[in-house]
Amino acid sequence: DLCTTCGADQYDVTKISCRNVMVQRGLGKKLFMAPSDVAGWGIFIKDFAYKNEFISEYCGEIISQDEADRRGKVYDKYMCSFLFNLNNEYVVDATRKGNKIRFANHSINPNCCAKVLMVNGDHRIGIFAKRNIQPGEELFFDYRYGPTEQLRFVGIEREMEFL
């Protein structure tokens, strides 16, 4: 059964008010990878995005928290992790099976936010614009690191402010 109160039964996306439908149909923005001024690679948006507009789904392999802990120790040695907590039981690992949005870098002042949504009974991660985003802008969201890990990335951002 399809909910129709939010316009989920509509073909015209301008008549849909439910964000789940955008995730369900994969109606994200066009993105491209390029070198980032912050760290390694970054992901950039090709088209304008309005505040609260769906940008992309964070995809990857769904693994248990125990497996995520095991893999996390390996990824920490390389200082590169694409693990994203989905709920109390599962984690999305975008390392091998992820899409482009995994290259969005961390920021304490991000232009995107991640939201875990219930879509057709499954938890899925949507990335949404926190503000209007211009074409060609790099996408950032807050990884919600603990205070000690976050300090490393804050330093990078502060250095970038002076360049």
Side-chain angles (χ1 to χ4, degrees):
D1 292 333
L2 193 60
C3 169
T4 59
T5 58
C6 63
D9 60 338
Q10 298 293 316
Y11 181 75
D12 182 2
V13 294
T14 61
K15 297 179 181 176
I16 300 171
S17 62
C18 178
R19 290 194 272 188
N20 292 0
V21 174
M22 305 308 271
V23 176
Q24 179 184 13
R25 294 185 188 175
L27 300 174
K29 295 290 186 179
K30 297 231 186 268
L31 306 173
F32 65 95
M33 279 178 44
S36 170
D37 290 334
V38 174
W41 290 96
I43 196 74
F44 298 78
I45 194 163
K46 280 191 177 184
D47 304 317
F48 184 86
Y50 290 99
K51 182 179 180 178
N52 298 322
E53 192 171 5
F54 174 67
I55 293 175
S56 183
E57 179 178 5
Y58 192 95
C59 296
E61 182 181 4
I62 298 174
I63 59 174
S64 69
Q65 288 284 352
D66 289 340
E67 178 63 12
D69 290 342
R70 188 188 69 72
R71 291 184 188 186
K73 289 176 186 170
V74 174
Y75 299 156
D76 286 347
K77 289 180 184 176
Y78 294 99
M79 293 182 60
C80 184
S81 176
F82 298 105
L83 297 173
F84 195 115
N85 287 329
L86 189 59
N87 54 34
N88 291 334
E89 296 177 50
Y90 297 104
V91 173
V92 173
D93 183 356
T95 305
R96 294 186 201 114
K97 298 181 180 181
N99 55 355
K100 288 185 210 174
I101 198 68
R102 74 178 182 218
F103 292 103
N105 282 308
H106 168 77
S107 175
I108 56 171
N109 187 22
N111 54 9
C112 298
C113 63
K115 296 182 182 183
V116 177
L117 304 169
M118 185 67 76
V119 180
N120 293 338
D122 294 321
H123 287 111
R124 292 171 64 175
I125 303 164
I127 306 297
F128 295 88
K130 269 187 94 168
R131 59 167 174 78
N132 290 346
I133 303 174
Q134 299 298 320
E137 260 190 80
E138 184 172 0
L139 302 180
F140 297 95
F141 65 92
D142 186 350
Y143 292 177
R144 297 188 195 145
Y145 282 123
T148 55
E149 294 91 347
Q150 194 168 7
L151 289 174
R152 287 183 294 164
F153 295 99
V154 172
I156 292 169
E157 285 182 12
R158 287 196 182 131
E159 288 173 21
M160 293 305 300
E161 287 175 10
F162 297 110
L163 295 179

